[in-house]
Amino acid sequence: MKLTSALLICSIPIASLAAGPSFTVDAGHPAGNVSPRLYGLMTEEINHSYDGGLYAELIQNRAFLDDARKPAHWSVVHDEDSSAAMELDETKPYNDELTTSLRLTLDKAGPDHPAGVANSGYWGIPVYANTRYRVSLLARAEEGFTGPITVTIVADDGKQVYASKTISGLGPAWKNYQAVLKTHRVDPTARAHFRITLEQPGTVWFGLVSLFPPTWNDRPNGLRKDLMQMLVDLKPKFLRFPGGNYLEGNTIETRFEWKKTLGPIEQRHGHPCPWGYRSTDGMGLLEFLEWAEDMKAEPVLGVYAGYSLRGMHVNPGPDLEPYVQDALEEIEYVTGDRTTTWGKRRAEDGHPKPFKLTYVEIGNEDWFDKSGSYDARFAQFYDAIKARYPQLKLISTIGNDQPEAARVHSRKPDVTDEHYYRNVEEFLRMSPDYARAYDRSGPEIFTGEWGAHETSFPPWDQKSRKEPPTPNLWAAIGDAVFMAAMERNSDLIKMQCYAPLLVNVNPGARQWRPNLIGYDALSAYGSPSYYAIRMFSQNVGDEILATTGVETAVQGCATRDSNTGEIYLKLVNPKSTAESLNIEIKGVRSVASKASAITLAGAPEQTNSIDNPRNVVPTTTTIRDLKPDFSFTLPPNSIVVLKIKSRS
Ligand code: AHR
């Protein structure tokens, strides 16, 4: 059903004769259709989201390219009767991508006195009981040295070897060696590292050293299982990638170049990411697509559009043409069949079936391009993509949150992307009216990045560094009122996603706060905002029901599943006192006498962390003797989803 009046679906407090705070749901006349793509995920390499995060590789600086001066994250191990030295060596590299190697030289060593190198992982190597880890290394040795070499996962204090294997048959030519390390009974720990040792003098070079634990769906070069489970639980309908700023790069040279991210990992040089560290590119274009597929989500593909963060831009016209062609080829890689050049390449890379693609975003946050070139750049991409792929919907990165003059005028974008990083008070203020005045016949809206911060300063302020990596319950309240606003308007807000999604909480690992999910090498936790989003995304129908709040600060929204009649009423109480609401579901014949209430509540400053991961989590209770007209008390600072079965 089409929306007839935006006013109908906004829960603005209005004056009324009704006694006391009340909330009305109009179930008689659905006010619009909920977008089937409501609730998705946005992702990029930030805060060690992939390297040291979702991408399950455990060796940091596996290709020795992180620092041209020294083998960062690697150290020498020896005892009093052995000696070893290591150095970066650019002579005789494995190939043109892995341009350096690690030379390990042992002058003195014996069976009881091994020596070698150790890698500290991404803030530790996670050790789990009865787990198989896959080692893969590229190595060559000096003439006459055949090994063996020993690969080990060992406790940082050296007292316990968790798993160990020897590899022999080394020779002077580069070769890939594989081993499986199996742990036994052990208490999980991340106070461990990975070692490669020799028991005799000799010189060995390593080109790439990789260690993977079991991955989600057992994919090689795959993803961390605990994080994937948390993401799958959010039931995302789409995945926006690869950025964000990560798409743009600081410079044109350091943009996300998708072609360089394909193929075996030893063919990937990696590149500097704009967030201050180097990306292995282990998460390449195909890994992003398979990640989306594994979550049953559709990719929302961001293509580089000729603007990079330090203010560089490519002039529209002939200069931009190679980038436009590159985007067309990228779309062909995603969607083409085997008869196309890039579809064939995708099949050779291991995924014969084309991926479904509906939305392509042209760039990221192009309002930062002070040259004013975006309008013409967008037009050039738009014309070329529409000519070959008329079915695709194209997203402009400049939406209603930016001044009218900055937006695209040369073409009518199918969708515009709005970004809202706001503090809680601002979300509380703007949410009742959000999108109310928007032109329903204008472009669809994609709220492609949003998130509430509980601080008075924004995420990019230096002061944020001192704050916890993930938000507290008060921020979740801000997130929830904004989600309710987007859900009320989800006939127009077709997609939306919180950002950033992931943060490695170790000191020095992050560049931004707040983030949705925190983790270290061993475990992960959801912030209160994670649980708020999960409550919203797991409980949404296909029909928007108009809501009206009277004499209350409570904000909310309602949807109904047209198949089952179940109504999902979402209510957010931002007050520090309980709110007793008279709730009326209008336009139904009856409601089931039993309903359930999922509640996230607590003190505003309450939060979750690695040490206290379940301090604030939702609880589910049953409500009995329900009628279409009932009273319900929301706890102070609470987010509540009422699941009410109804008949019309
Ligand atoms: O989410 C963090 C950053 O915020 C994104 O990379 C960028 O698009 C926005 O400015």
Side-chain angles (χ1 to χ4, degrees):
M1 177 172 197
K2 275 269 165 263
L3 182 75
T4 47
S5 162
L7 265 173
L8 283 175
I9 55 172
C10 294
S11 68
I12 42 169
I14 54 169
S16 156
L17 296 176
S22 70
F23 214 85
T24 307
V25 178
D26 182 357
H29 310 92
N33 294 325
V34 176
S35 163
R37 289 188 181 80
L38 197 63
Y39 299 103
L41 302 177
M42 186 272 168
T43 171
E44 65 172 318
E45 182 60 279
I46 183 174
N47 305 319
H48 285 273
S49 288
Y50 312 143
D51 289 346
L54 182 65
Y55 179 54
E57 174 64 77
L58 297 179
I59 303 296
Q60 183 157 203
N61 194 16
R62 68 182 177 189
F64 313 104
L65 292 163
D66 280 8
D67 187 335
R69 292 157 308 171
K70 58 179 192 306
H73 309 292
W74 291 89
S75 57
V76 166
V77 286
H78 65 92
D79 65 16
E80 58 287 359
D81 287 313
S82 60
S83 74
M86 65 172 185
E87 221 174 330
L88 293 179
D89 186 349
E90 290 184 353
T91 60
K92 278 182 70 179
Y94 174 75
N95 61 17
D96 291 345
E97 303 306 326
L98 305 182
T99 47
T100 192
S101 63
L102 184 73
R103 186 176 65 231
L104 169 65
T105 306
L106 265 69
D107 292 332
K108 206 168 121 191
D112 295 329
H113 300 285
V117 284
N119 186 274
S120 48
Y122 289 96
W123 296 271
I125 299 282
V127 181
Y128 302 98
N130 304 315
T131 301
R132 294 160 73 86
Y133 296 75
R134 278 188 298 200
V135 181
S136 162
L137 50 90
L138 288 172
R140 68 181 178 89
E142 66 181 338
E143 203 69 52
F145 186 93
T146 56
I149 61 176
T150 305
V151 289
T152 315
I153 299 175
V154 59
D156 283 343
D157 63 9
K159 288 189 180 146
Q160 196 172 352
V161 170
Y162 297 113
S164 179
K165 241 333 175 350
T166 56
I167 293 171
S168 45
L170 276 77
W174 283 112
K175 200 174 146 192
N176 183 258
Y177 298 87
Q178 312 263 344
V180 172
L181 292 177
K182 169 116 177 38
T183 57
H184 299 284
R185 273 181 57 179
V186 63
D187 290 336
T189 179
R191 296 205 172 133
H193 58 269
F194 176 76
R195 274 185 190 173
I196 312 173
T197 51
L198 281 59
E199 296 181 351
Q200 56 186 305
T203 302
V204 182
W205 287 260
F206 300 103
L208 184 139
V209 180
S210 170
L211 176 71
F212 268 85
T215 57
W216 185 261
N217 283 349
D218 286 328
R219 284 198 192 268
N221 200 41
L223 307 180
R224 194 170 139 167
K225 285 174 134 185
D226 57 344
L227 290 175
M228 270 304 275
Q229 187 61 62
M230 291 182 75
L231 299 178
V232 167
D233 288 348
L234 291 174
K235 290 181 136 190
K237 302 288 191 334
F238 68 87
L239 177 70
R240 174 182 178 227
F241 65 83
N245 290 168
Y246 185 56
L247 169 69
E248 305 165 82
N250 277 334
T251 59
I252 297 172
E253 291 68 39
T254 56
R255 69 192 183 279
F256 180 81
E257 276 197 82
W258 64 276
K259 285 179 188 158
K260 295 186 174 173
T261 70
L262 305 180
I265 56 172
E266 55 272 17
Q267 302 292 344
R268 305 184 196 183
H269 181 71
H271 75 286
C273 106
W275 295 103
Y277 57 96
R278 205 165 180 288
S279 162
T280 62
D281 285 347
M283 281 295 286
L285 178 57
L286 185 59
E287 285 77 16
F288 280 114
L289 293 165
E290 291 180 336
W291 169 19
E293 184 173 63
D294 283 352
M295 297 188 298
K296 299 189 173 47
E298 197 179 304
V300 171
L301 180 69
V303 296
Y304 180 75
Y307 175 75
S308 293
L309 292 163
R310 288 197 184 139
M312 294 169 153
H313 79 277
V314 182
N315 281 323
D319 290 354
L320 193 63
E321 209 40 40
Y323 299 90
V324 174
Q325 289 309 315
D326 197 60
L328 290 172
E329 289 171 354
E330 187 171 7
I331 295 167
E332 187 175 287
Y333 184 90
V334 177
T335 62
D337 63 26
R338 275 173 187 276
T339 62
T340 63
T341 309
W342 287 99
K344 180 164 172 276
R345 172 63 202 266
R346 188 201 59 246
E348 286 161 5
D349 288 344
H351 201 287
K353 195 167 168 228
F355 292 90
K356 182 175 179 212
L357 184 70
T358 309
Y359 290 92
V360 173
E361 180 154 14
I362 314 295
N364 178 61
E365 294 191 338
D366 286 83
W367 66 81
F368 282 113
D369 175 11
K370 297 301 172 226
S371 75
S373 68
Y374 186 61
D375 204 341
R377 286 189 287 112
F378 181 85
Q380 201 169 330
F381 276 88
Y382 182 98
D383 292 349
I385 296 174
K386 287 281 183 184
R388 195 168 309 169
Y389 302 101
Q391 76 284 5
L392 288 179
K393 294 193 182 187
L394 303 182
I395 307 172
S396 156
T397 71
I398 308 184
N400 297 296
D401 55 329
Q402 297 300 320
E404 166 69 36
R407 298 179 210 157
V408 166
H409 294 99
S410 59
R411 302 289 180 278
K412 183 181 172 191
D414 299 304
V415 188
T416 60
D417 182 358
E418 301 183 358
H419 291 182
Y420 292 97
Y421 295 109
R422 300 283 193 272
N423 69 23
V424 179
E425 291 69 24
E426 174 65 10
F427 271 133
L428 286 168
R429 198 189 57 72
M430 69 179 261
S431 293
D433 278 339
Y434 175 61
R436 188 151 74 109
Y438 286 1
D439 175 6
R440 252 55 198 179
S441 64
E444 293 177 5
I445 292 171
F446 174 28
T447 318
E449 293 181 27
W450 61 269
H453 47 274
E454 62 275 55
T455 53
S456 56
F457 43 85
W460 45 91
D461 191 297
Q462 296 287 315
K463 290 196 281 258
S464 278
R465 292 179 179 195
K466 297 213 170 82
E467 298 294 317
T470 50
N472 64 19
L473 180 67
W474 183 236
I477 300 262
D479 292 328
V481 292
F482 190 50
M483 280 190 288
M486 289 188 280
E487 206 171 293
R488 287 196 301 271
N489 291 282
S490 68
D491 59 313
L492 178 64
I493 319 289
K494 297 287 182 186
M495 301 186 286
Q496 55 97 338
C497 42
Y498 184 99
L501 181 62
L502 299 167
V503 63
N504 185 314
V505 301
N506 279 291
R510 72 152 140 130
Q511 298 79 43
W512 186 283
R513 80 153 320 264
N515 308 284
L516 205 62
I517 296 172
Y519 48 85
D520 60 11
L522 201 62
S523 59
Y525 70 94
S527 61
S529 297
Y530 167 83
Y531 288 107
I533 293 176
R534 203 179 73 175
M535 285 163 65
F536 272 60
S537 66
Q538 288 185 349
N539 298 292
V540 61
D542 56 329
E543 293 176 331
I544 303 168
L545 304 181
T547 54
T548 311
V550 174
E551 289 181 28
T552 181
V554 167
Q555 296 189 34
C557 62
T559 61
R560 175 172 53 199
D561 183 325
S562 57
N563 278 324
T564 64
E566 184 148 51
I567 292 173
Y568 304 97
L569 174 57
K570 293 161 180 170
L571 299 165
V572 188
N573 179 15
K575 291 196 310 183
S576 55
T577 51
E579 181 83 334
S580 188
L581 275 186
N582 293 315
I583 297 177
E584 189 182 359
I585 316 277
K586 284 189 173 157
V588 290
R589 263 202 288 155
S590 62
V591 297
S593 67
K594 255 184 11 185
S596 51
I598 309 167
T599 304
L600 186 69
E605 62 282 1
Q606 249 180 293
T607 197
N608 296 332
S609 64
I610 285 283
D611 295 331
N612 200 354
R614 298 188 57 79
N615 189 32
V616 198
V617 293
T619 53
T620 303
T621 50
T622 303
I623 312 174
R624 291 173 202 284
D625 304 323
L626 206 70
K627 298 192 181 65
D629 203 334
F630 62 102
S631 77
F632 182 83
T633 301
L634 286 130
N637 316 299
S638 61
I639 302 165
V640 175
V641 179
L642 297 179
K643 296 171 73 171
I644 301 164
K645 292 202 168 62
S646 73
R647 286 177 60 202
S648 322

